[in-house]
Amino acid sequence: MNASDRLIVALDVAGPDEARDLISRIGNRAGVWKIGLELLFTGGAELARELAGDGQKVFVDAKLLDIPNTVERATANIAALGAAFLTVHGHDIKTMEAAMRGRAGSDLKLLAVTVLTSLDAADLEQQGSRMDPAELVLHRATLRRESGFDGVIASGHEAAEIRQATGSDFLIVTPGIRPAGSAAGDQARVMTPAKAIAAGADYLVVGRPITQADDPAAAAAAIAAEIDTALSA
Ligand code: C5P
């Protein structure tokens, strides 16, 4: 994989036309297009099928969490779109095993959402967890061993520990990426592209620093260059 292949652009835009426009501007400076909850309900599923049919890598960020029967059937439908990646909340093994059954026979890779990068220790306490984000991420990352998931979504702050606990065949996909000097927005556990790669992330998820840049192609190219430098360091 080259540096651009590791860059996932979060297409958090109003509709498929805006998404297609961004994709054509960014081109091969990024390797994966992430369709999340905002776009999924304004034509994103059809766009996912179209992009996958064109040979593009599509990440459906549906963050599934429901009873096993529903998760299994939703996962099978997302696999049938031709998606390359799907997120499932990694809170419990029943949900994850259901997703594994749903993707059977497809190439869909399953990623467990550990702890959202917008949450900090105070938010987890409010949810009733006595663990801090790093402990809870690590705890949930180890559920993967039982379920057979391909990897996790985790912030750069936890990537090194996860890598140590899980080994090299495990995908770490890191959102909350902010190039030096850019606004954190609603993200709490942010990191620069270079630091996240150095910490062990395989893929970086970047939304607003690219999609809201005056020149999204230049922003994507700059992040890919930073990934490249970090990989060769
Ligand atoms: O704009 P920004 O770079 O903050 O976008 C990050 C993207 O990654 C969003 O699409 C968000 O839904 C997603 N994400 C996240 N934290 C997670 C999982 C996914 O920020 N734990």
Side-chain angles (χ1 to χ4, degrees), residues 10 12 34 61 63 113 115-117 153 175-178 186-187 205-209:
D12 296 328
K34 185 173 86 69
D61 190 10
K63 296 190 177 68
V113 179
V115 175
L116 292 173
T117 42
I153 308 287
I177 297 298
R178 291 294 179 266
D186 56 355
Q187 296 283 16
V205 177
V206 186
R208 289 161 288 183

Side-chain angles (χ1 to χ4, degrees), residues 84-105:
F85 298 97
L86 167 66
T87 46
V88 175
H89 277 290
H91 293 199
D92 67 275
I93 202 85
K94 281 185 184 169
T95 303
M96 296 165 84
E97 285 174 349
M100 290 293 289
R101 289 193 295 277
R103 74 104 181 252

Side-chain angles (χ1 to χ4, degrees), residues 132-143:
D132 66 26
E135 280 175 284
L136 191 55
V137 166
L138 209 60
H139 168 68
R140 288 181 175 163
T142 56
L143 286 180

Side-chain angles (χ1 to χ4, degrees), residues 100-193:
M100 290 293 289
R101 289 193 295 277
R103 74 104 181 252
S106 76
D107 293 332
L108 179 66
K109 289 200 187 320
L110 293 174
L111 302 170
V113 179
T114 52
V115 175
L116 292 173
T117 42
S118 54
L119 303 182
D120 59 22
D123 298 312
L124 293 185
E125 199 182 327
Q126 198 178 50
Q127 286 184 357
S129 168
R130 284 197 203 90
M131 293 184 182
D132 66 26
E135 280 175 284
L136 191 55
V137 166
L138 209 60
H139 168 68
R140 288 181 175 163
T142 56
L143 286 180
R144 170 265 173 181
R145 265 195 294 251
E146 290 167 61
S147 67
F149 260 47
D150 300 285
V152 288
I153 308 287
S155 92
H157 297 276
E158 293 94 38
E161 258 191 292
I162 292 174
R163 180 60 75 215
Q164 219 173 13
T166 54
S168 60
D169 62 334
F170 192 61
L171 295 177
I172 300 177
V173 177
T174 299
I177 297 298
R178 291 294 179 266
S182 61
D186 56 355
Q187 296 283 16
R189 305 190 328 274
V190 298
M191 197 172 258
T192 65

